Amino acid sequence: MIDCQGNQDFTSIDRSASESCTLHLPQIAEPVSVQKFLDRLMQYQVDPALLGRQICQILATSFDRELLLLQIANTLGVAWGADFCWVTAVVDQKVVNPNAYWQNSSDFPYVAGVADSTETPEHPQTPRLKPPSISLEHPVWANVLADGEIVAISDYLDSPAASSPNSPVTALPLRAILAGPARFGGAVNGMVIVGKSQPHEWSVADRQRLEAASEAIGIAISHIQKTQEIASLNEQLQRQAKYKNLLMSVAASIDTNSEVDRILQQVIENTVDTLEVDRGQILLLKYTDPLFTTPSPNQTPKAKVELVCESVVKKDPNKQAIAQSAAGKKSSTSKTKNKDKTANSQSKIPNSKPNNSPAFWLSESNLCRQAFHGAPKPLALADAGELIGKEQEAAKEILKLQGIRGLLLVPLTGGCCQETVLGFLVLQHSEPRTWTPEELEVLESVSAQASKMIIQTQTLKELQTAVLDRTAQLQQSLDLQGKLYEQSANQLEQMRKLKVIKDEFLSTLSHELRTPLTIMKLAILMLKQAELPSASRTKYLDILEQQCSKETALVNDLLALKQFEPQQVPISLIKIDLNRLFQDLVKDFEKQWADKQLTLKVDLPKLTPCWETDPDILNRVLLELLTNAGKYSASGTAVVLEASEAAGYIVLSISNFGRGISAADLPHIFDKFRRGTGITDQAIAGTGLGLALVKSLVQHLNGTIDVSSCPAESSESDNLWRTSFTLTLPQFAAELCNVEE
């Protein structure tokens, strides 16, 4: 049994007279100290006849394949009381793993070890041992392996084999040697060598015991080899699972993110974790010339190499010591890897793309240029120390090549023929590293996915830009069409209004022209009567004269409006007396308004007695305004004429009380051929040219005219409105002369 200190208690069993002593090994639940195991084992005499059974028991009870062959070598050496025992697997006349040896020396009593053993914290008492140097090309070993013979040499130094150039033993001073094959399934798969430092005669029983143990040793070797194969397959499956998870994580990053920088960052982080390298980077090429679809070995394009993202694993100071201690014990390797992976994930430095990505020219890096021209194949360097030393400082600083040995550059290719180099996926390691075909294959898949994502993103951005541009163009077109439609609608509305105005003007003009002509025609018919009295003749002649004057005035209005619109008529400045001008107007209009019972009230304060202006234009303006006021005044009301001086201007106001002007007609009161709503229906004479002519004449005098219409305050009837036209004219001749110039 095994106690809490790891010591084993052995119990002797009953034996017959033919058996000296048989040792039954207890089940070993866990590896124990080799030295302690051997010390307790040598306290008993072992019966060599039961070696095969003991080896099978070791095979059935040992759970550590690294110590299994070592325990067998120890058992064989102790069983024969030898000083040396070596058990090894053989394939094609070559020593292969597994193999183990045991040695009994004065410096290390009963020392044992496996061929690749190293010092570990778990086994500090096991020193590093150099395996024996034995050549299997010697005929002695050839007979053992080829013919399955057992070779027994009592004194090696006296035998012919000692003089052979392929001496079987050169590392240890052995004299007596017993060697035999290990068999599995009828075939030789290993060899056992037992030796003593002094000459010894090997008995037939020794040969038979070795022959009896041959099958058990062969089974043990085959078991270890199968276990190694299974472990290798498990490791391969684990690697395949890791690579599959890497590809799935890359695909998930592409599906769940829309930003290229974040996707590339996650890709490089997952790649660094999976391949367990020290640093990973993704470089993108920014061409200044058109893209080179086919890289030419003689020409390097002008392109910037930009570092867009990287993932760095911090160095763990205990990592190297843990790796060394775990090299001799595979059972602890998985735990160490888990610890290392945890340390790596915690020490990872996430990097996001800065505003200005570090960059260098493609021609400044021999490594990038070599990877570019070798695309799409990866540039895998197990030890890139010499090439890194030839890199220029700009590229070496951005790529952080200081202290790097293992280097891998995988081109990111895309385009219609998958030949355009988009960039590189770079992996770096501080120690020389061999890149396996499996790693290269999975990295090519990763780069293909990343390249496809980059191409799709660029295409999507181009499409989005094109859609936005097209949308903007369509919006501009729609806006332009909207403006054109609005202009067309406005023009149609103006044309409609002009048509209405034209129709109204033609109707009015037709009425104004036909009415005098009809009267004149009747007067002429009456004058043709021979018996017409002289008084009647005079009356009809007066009618003709009046109607002819109306026709003449209408024609003159049309001509004057046409004449004054471009302001081509010169101004004739003459000094006039305003008081006399107003008095004459009062006399003339009181006679005209006698039938309508209208009066003209004049409010004239002290004005400048003489005023220099164009009397014809001013007189025409006043006549038109007073005529218009009398036309629309209610019977029995008064027309008010007011005058005042202010800041070098004379302000004249003519007001009447009547129906008024509606708010809708007020802005258009000075338009040509425009009359108030319903005026024509009320049979009020007029052509719609008078106020338009007034505005042109006032502007010709460098003045302004305004109109207002509101309910009269002192009116007894709510139907009377006060309509006022206000003229503001300059008082000095100098200002009028400026207009003429």
Side-chain angles (χ1 to χ4, degrees):
M1 301 295 290
I2 301 174
D3 59 15
C4 59
Q5 286 80 19
N7 299 323
Q8 296 182 2
D9 294 333
F10 295 90
T11 304
S12 59
I13 61 175
D14 296 335
R15 56 187 181 276
S16 62
S18 62
E19 296 177 342
S20 59
C21 181
T22 302
L23 177 63
H24 291 269
L25 297 177
Q27 292 186 354
I28 302 175
E30 58 183 1
V32 298
S33 170
V34 175
Q35 183 63 44
K36 190 175 297 184
F37 170 78
L38 296 177
D39 290 343
R40 301 298 297 271
L41 183 64
M42 290 302 296
Q43 296 177 5
Y44 300 89
Q45 183 180 1
V46 181
D47 184 1
L50 300 178
L51 285 177
R53 186 186 303 175
Q54 294 176 6
I55 292 173
C56 291
Q57 187 174 4
I58 294 173
L59 181 61
T61 58
S62 178
F63 295 95
D64 193 335
R65 63 181 177 85
E66 297 293 338
L67 292 179
L68 174 59
L69 206 61
L70 176 60
Q71 292 174 3
I72 294 174
N74 294 340
T75 302
L76 296 176
V78 173
W80 267 284
D83 297 320
F84 174 84
C85 181
W86 188 43
V87 182
T88 180
V90 176
V91 176
D92 296 332
Q93 302 291 326
K94 294 182 181 179
V95 176
V96 297
N97 285 329
N99 59 79
Y101 59 93
W102 169 86
Q103 177 183 351
N104 178 16
S105 66
S106 58
D107 295 333
F108 300 102
Y110 306 105
V111 174
V114 291
D116 57 348
S117 65
T118 56
E119 293 185 22
T120 63
E122 293 82 0
H123 300 282
Q125 74 278 18
T126 304
R128 182 185 298 272
L129 298 177
K130 184 178 180 180
S133 176
I134 296 179
S135 174
L136 299 183
E137 297 178 359
H138 194 276
V140 174
W141 313 130
N143 292 333
V144 174
L145 298 176
D147 302 332
E149 298 179 355
I150 294 178
V151 177
I153 302 175
S154 59
D155 189 353
Y156 174 73
L157 296 180
D158 293 338
S159 65
S163 60
S164 174
N166 296 325
S167 180
V169 179
T170 59
L172 297 174
L174 299 179
R175 301 291 293 275
I177 298 175
L178 179 64
R183 295 183 180 87
F184 178 76
V188 177
N189 66 339
M191 187 173 61
V192 179
I193 300 176
V194 180
K196 292 187 178 184
S197 60
Q198 299 299 326
H200 176 74
E201 288 292 337
W202 303 99
S203 64
V204 176
D206 292 332
R207 297 169 180 260
Q208 292 176 351
R209 291 166 191 154
L210 183 57
E211 179 69 27
S214 175
E215 293 293 336
I217 297 172
I219 292 173
I221 292 174
S222 177
H223 170 71
I224 296 174
Q225 289 177 334
K226 294 299 181 183
T227 304
Q228 290 176 342
E229 291 178 4
I230 293 173
S232 177
L233 290 175
N234 287 334
E235 291 179 359
Q236 185 177 359
L237 290 176
Q238 290 177 0
R239 288 195 301 270
Q240 294 290 344
K242 287 170 55 178
Y243 298 154
K244 182 178 180 181
N245 291 335
L246 173 60
L247 296 177
M248 291 177 63
S249 64
V250 171
S253 300
I254 295 175
D255 292 338
T256 56
N257 292 299
S258 58
E259 298 180 6
V260 177
D261 297 341
R262 292 194 64 180
I263 295 175
L264 295 179
Q265 182 65 37
Q266 292 181 3
V267 168
I268 196 61
E269 289 177 359
N270 295 333
T271 304
V272 168
D273 283 344
T274 302
L275 272 69
E276 298 179 357
V277 294
D278 294 334
R279 181 186 292 112
Q281 297 177 333
I282 290 184
L283 310 174
L284 293 183
L285 294 181
K286 186 177 182 181
Y287 292 88
T288 57
D289 297 335
L291 289 179
F292 283 69
T293 56
T294 305
S296 173
N298 300 323
Q299 186 178 7
T300 300
K302 189 175 182 181
K304 280 280 188 179
V305 183
E306 294 185 351
L307 173 61
V308 295
C309 61
E310 72 174 350
S311 178
V312 182
V313 178
K314 287 183 178 179
K315 286 292 184 180
D316 188 350
N318 299 324
K319 180 179 179 181
Q320 196 169 12
I322 295 175
Q324 291 178 355
S325 65
K329 190 172 179 62
K330 295 291 185 178
S331 60
S332 61
T333 303
S334 59
K335 297 180 181 179
T336 305
K337 287 184 178 180
N338 292 334
K339 293 179 181 178
D340 292 342
K341 186 174 181 181
T342 304
N344 291 345
S345 63
Q346 292 176 352
S347 62
K348 187 187 302 177
I349 303 175
N351 291 276
S352 60
K353 183 178 179 182
N355 294 332
N356 296 320
S357 300
F360 56 89
W361 290 105
L362 179 60
S363 58
E364 295 178 345
S365 173
N366 294 328
L367 292 170
C368 292
R369 189 166 60 249
Q370 186 176 350
F372 176 85
H373 292 301
K377 296 181 179 180
L379 177 61
L381 302 174
D383 191 349
E386 295 183 1
L387 293 178
I388 289 175
K390 299 178 182 179
E391 286 291 290
Q392 298 186 23
E393 290 300 325
K396 186 185 296 184
E397 182 178 357
I398 294 175
L399 296 177
K400 301 178 179 64
L401 297 176
Q402 188 68 28
I404 296 300
R405 299 292 296 276
L407 186 63
L408 176 65
L409 284 83
V410 183
L412 303 175
T413 58
C416 59
C417 300
Q418 296 295 321
E419 294 182 349
T420 301
V421 180
L422 307 175
F424 308 100
L425 187 152
V426 183
L427 297 181
Q428 304 171 354
H429 203 62
S430 58
E431 298 176 358
R433 189 185 193 284
T434 301
W435 307 97
T436 65
E438 293 179 350
E439 292 175 335
L440 297 179
E441 183 179 358
V442 72
L443 287 175
E444 288 178 358
S445 298
V446 170
S447 64
Q449 291 190 51
S451 302
K452 184 177 180 181
M453 179 272 300
I454 293 173
I455 291 293
Q456 289 178 348
T457 304
Q458 291 178 349
T459 304
L460 180 60
K461 286 184 177 180
E462 292 175 357
L463 289 176
Q464 289 176 344
T465 302
V467 170
L468 291 176
D469 293 343
R470 184 58 178 166
T471 302
Q473 294 176 0
L474 290 176
Q475 187 61 42
Q476 292 178 355
S477 177
L478 290 175
D479 294 341
L480 181 59
Q481 291 180 5
K483 292 180 180 179
L484 292 176
Y485 176 79
E486 184 178 355
Q487 291 179 358
S488 299
N490 293 335
Q491 291 176 354
L492 290 174
E493 181 63 20
Q494 291 177 0
M495 292 177 63
R496 186 188 66 80
K497 292 179 179 179
L498 289 175
K499 184 177 182 303
V500 173
I501 294 173
K502 182 194 70 173
D503 294 342
E504 186 176 351
F505 168 73
L506 291 177
S507 176
T508 302
L509 186 62
S510 174
H511 178 270
E512 293 296 325
L513 289 174
R514 287 181 179 179
T515 300
L517 290 175
T518 301
I519 296 175
M520 292 171 64
K521 185 177 181 180
L522 291 175
I524 291 172
L525 291 175
M526 296 303 295
L527 289 173
K528 285 183 178 181
Q529 296 180 4
E531 65 277 5
L532 187 67
S534 59
S536 298
R537 188 179 297 276
T538 302
K539 178 181 178 181
Y540 289 130
L541 290 174
D542 291 339
I543 290 173
L544 284 173
E545 184 179 6
Q546 291 176 359
Q547 297 304 320
C548 183
S549 298
K550 286 184 179 181
E551 291 291 327
T552 302
L554 179 59
V555 173
N556 289 336
D557 287 345
L558 292 172
L559 295 176
L561 184 62
K562 184 65 178 177
Q563 186 179 24
F564 283 103
E565 272 187 344
Q567 295 186 353
Q568 297 177 352
V569 179
I571 298 176
S572 300
L573 298 178
I574 300 174
K575 291 182 178 181
I576 62 174
D577 187 351
L578 292 177
N579 292 325
R580 179 176 297 178
L581 175 63
F582 292 152
Q583 290 176 1
D584 294 340
L585 290 173
V586 170
K587 292 180 181 179
D588 293 338
F589 278 95
E590 282 185 345
K591 292 180 181 179
Q592 296 179 16
W593 295 341
D595 297 338
K596 204 173 180 180
Q597 299 179 354
L598 295 177
T599 59
L600 179 59
K601 294 183 179 180
V602 180
D603 183 5
L604 299 176
K606 279 190 176 181
L607 298 175
T608 301
C610 293
W611 186 29
E612 193 172 13
T613 186
D614 190 320
D616 295 336
I617 294 177
L618 180 59
N619 188 59
R620 181 66 180 271
V621 169
L622 294 176
L623 287 174
E624 288 290 342
L625 291 176
L626 289 173
T627 301
N628 189 71
K631 188 185 302 183
Y632 296 103
S633 294
S635 300
T637 60
V639 177
V640 180
L641 174 61
E642 299 175 319
S644 62
E645 293 183 63
Y649 287 88
I650 293 179
V651 180
L652 301 177
S653 177
I654 298 175
S655 304
N656 71 288
F657 297 89
R659 182 168 176 241
I661 303 174
S662 66
D665 294 333
L666 202 60
H668 308 286
I669 197 67
F670 294 106
D671 293 347
K672 292 181 293 185
F673 313 120
R674 186 68 176 264
R675 306 190 72 190
T677 305
I679 298 301
T680 304
D681 298 337
Q682 297 176 12
I684 299 177
T687 60
L689 297 176
L691 293 179
L693 180 61
V694 166
K695 185 175 181 179
S696 297
L697 295 174
V698 170
Q699 290 176 347
H700 197 62
L701 293 176
N702 200 23
T704 60
I705 183 170
D706 297 313
V707 61
S708 63
S709 184
C710 58
E713 297 179 356
S714 59
S715 175
E716 296 180 356
S717 174
D718 295 336
N719 295 329
L720 294 182
W721 284 43
R722 177 169 179 159
T723 302
S724 301
F725 289 86
T726 303
L727 285 76
T728 303
L729 301 174
Q731 191 174 3
F732 301 104
E735 298 183 11
L736 296 175
C737 293
N738 291 336
V739 177
E740 183 178 359
E741 293 176 359

